[in-house]
């Protein structure tokens, strides 16, 4: 079957660095996306890795290793507003461009 | 730039009533369109997707249906709502024929009484 695994909860303090891992098992893998969702809000797109390596966007970076079927989201200089759920999603092959979603990681940033 | 509009933001409906949620996308042509549902504290469940006008694929058999009457309009409907239809409904789009990521509307929070 197709699935993504990520930790259910992560806790960190302001100013720290946190890494949220995601392992995937899919057929026809194209790339890995990361989304942030605050309570009551819609998911917002953070990053997308189609190639192996690190993609950096401000305080957030995302990494992909196709050979290991593994990726991670790295959040630096954590702020209270980063408290949210983070989802990894694998882009699937085919004309429909479906995303296979992980169940999300709830990040709590404490003072 | 592209924008996605979804309405209403919240909706309270009695069991057995009909449903119509609408989603429109601006600033792009022939997008891929998606309807998701998210139960409280859970992940996203893909309900329907569409790669073109009149082309609808269903992921989960249920009492919901979707239609795409225009290129950038996607509608989620039901003839008779069930209690289990409560949830957070999200419309999303991506660039047609590409591997570009999906972008979401603000969602509709549906409560069935």
């Amino acid at each position: 079957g197709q699935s993504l695994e990520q930790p259910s909860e992560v806790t960190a303090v302001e100013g720290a660095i946190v890494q949220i891992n995601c392992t995937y098992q899919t057929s026809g893998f194209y790339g890995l996306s990361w989304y942030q969702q605050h309570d009551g809000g819609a998911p917002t797109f953070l990053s997308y890795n189609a190639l192996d390596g690190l993609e950096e966007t401000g305080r957030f970076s995302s990494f992909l290793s196709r050979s290991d079927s593994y990726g991670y989201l790295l959040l630096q200089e954590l702020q209270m507003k980063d408290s949210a759920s983070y989802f990894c999603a694998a882009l699937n092959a085919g004309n429909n461009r479906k995303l296979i979603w992980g169940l999300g990681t709830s990040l709590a940033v404490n003072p | 730039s592209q924008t996605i509009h979804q309405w209403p933001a919240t909706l309270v409906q009695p069991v057995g009533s009909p449903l119509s949620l609408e989603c429109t996308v601006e600033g792009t042509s022939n997008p891929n369109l998606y309807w998701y549902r998210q139960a409280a504290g859970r992940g996203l469940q893909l309900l329907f997707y569409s790669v073109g006008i009149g082309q609808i694929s269903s992921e989960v058999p249920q009492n919901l249906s979707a239609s795409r009457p225009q290129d950038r309009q996607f509608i989620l409907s039901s003839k008779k709502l069930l209690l289990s239809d409560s949830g957070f409904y999200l419309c999303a789009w991506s660039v047609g024929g590409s591997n570009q990521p999906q972008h979401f509307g603000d969602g509709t929070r549906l409560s069935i009484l």
Side-chain angles (χ1 to χ4, degrees):
Chain A
Q2 303 185 90
S3 64
L4 285 84
E5 291 190 10
Q6 54 181 127
S8 58
E9 295 180 351
V10 173
T11 302
V13 296
E14 274 188 299
I17 299 174
V18 71
Q19 178 173 313
I20 299 174
N21 298 321
C22 175
T23 57
Y24 60 87
Q25 182 179 356
T26 68
S27 57
F29 176 84
Y30 272 142
L32 193 68
S33 294
W34 288 92
Y35 290 81
Q36 178 192 61
Q37 185 179 29
H38 286 99
D39 280 349
T44 55
F45 171 72
L46 291 178
S47 68
Y48 174 64
N49 292 70
L51 304 174
D52 283 0
L54 191 67
E55 293 280 345
E56 298 181 73
T57 308
R59 295 187 297 113
F60 294 0
S61 304
S62 58
F63 172 83
L64 176 66
S65 169
R66 286 172 170 267
S67 59
D68 296 322
S69 297
Y70 163 76
Y72 66 72
L73 179 69
L74 189 73
L75 299 86
Q76 303 182 73
E77 301 173 19
L78 281 174
Q79 302 175 9
M80 297 290 288
K81 67 178 182 179
D82 297 329
S83 294
S85 292
Y86 293 84
F87 293 87
C88 58
L91 189 60
N92 204 6
N95 294 328
N96 53 62
R97 305 298 193 268
K98 291 195 297 184
L99 282 175
I100 310 299
W101 291 82
L103 295 181
T105 298
S106 177
L107 170 64
V109 180
N110 297 319
Chain B
S1 63
Q2 300 89 1
T3 56
I4 179 169
H5 303 280
Q6 188 181 341
W7 67 93
T10 59
L11 190 60
V12 180
Q13 293 284 98
V15 170
S17 64
L19 173 73
S20 181
L21 302 180
E22 190 162 343
C23 171
T24 58
V25 180
E26 296 178 358
T28 187
S29 296
N30 196 31
N32 298 321
L33 296 172
Y34 309 83
W35 277 112
Y36 287 89
R37 178 169 60 201
Q38 186 178 34
R42 304 291 295 275
L44 282 80
Q45 178 187 35
L46 179 63
L47 301 176
F48 301 94
Y49 64 91
S50 171
V51 298
I53 296 175
Q55 300 178 59
I56 309 294
S57 296
S58 174
E59 289 294 295
V60 182
Q62 54 203 329
N63 69 320
L64 299 171
S65 62
S67 61
R68 185 169 177 173
Q70 300 180 47
D71 181 42
R72 290 168 289 178
Q73 183 184 30
F74 206 23
I75 299 172
L76 182 69
S77 304
S78 174
K79 293 182 179 178
K80 282 188 176 182
L81 285 167
L82 307 172
L83 281 174
S84 57
D85 291 325
S86 292
F88 192 36
Y89 288 82
L90 292 151
C91 180
W93 75 275
S94 65
V95 176
S98 78
N99 296 324
Q100 295 302 306
Q102 295 177 17
H103 300 272
F104 287 81
D106 290 336
T108 296
R109 199 161 300 278
L110 175 65
S111 298
I112 309 299
L113 304 179

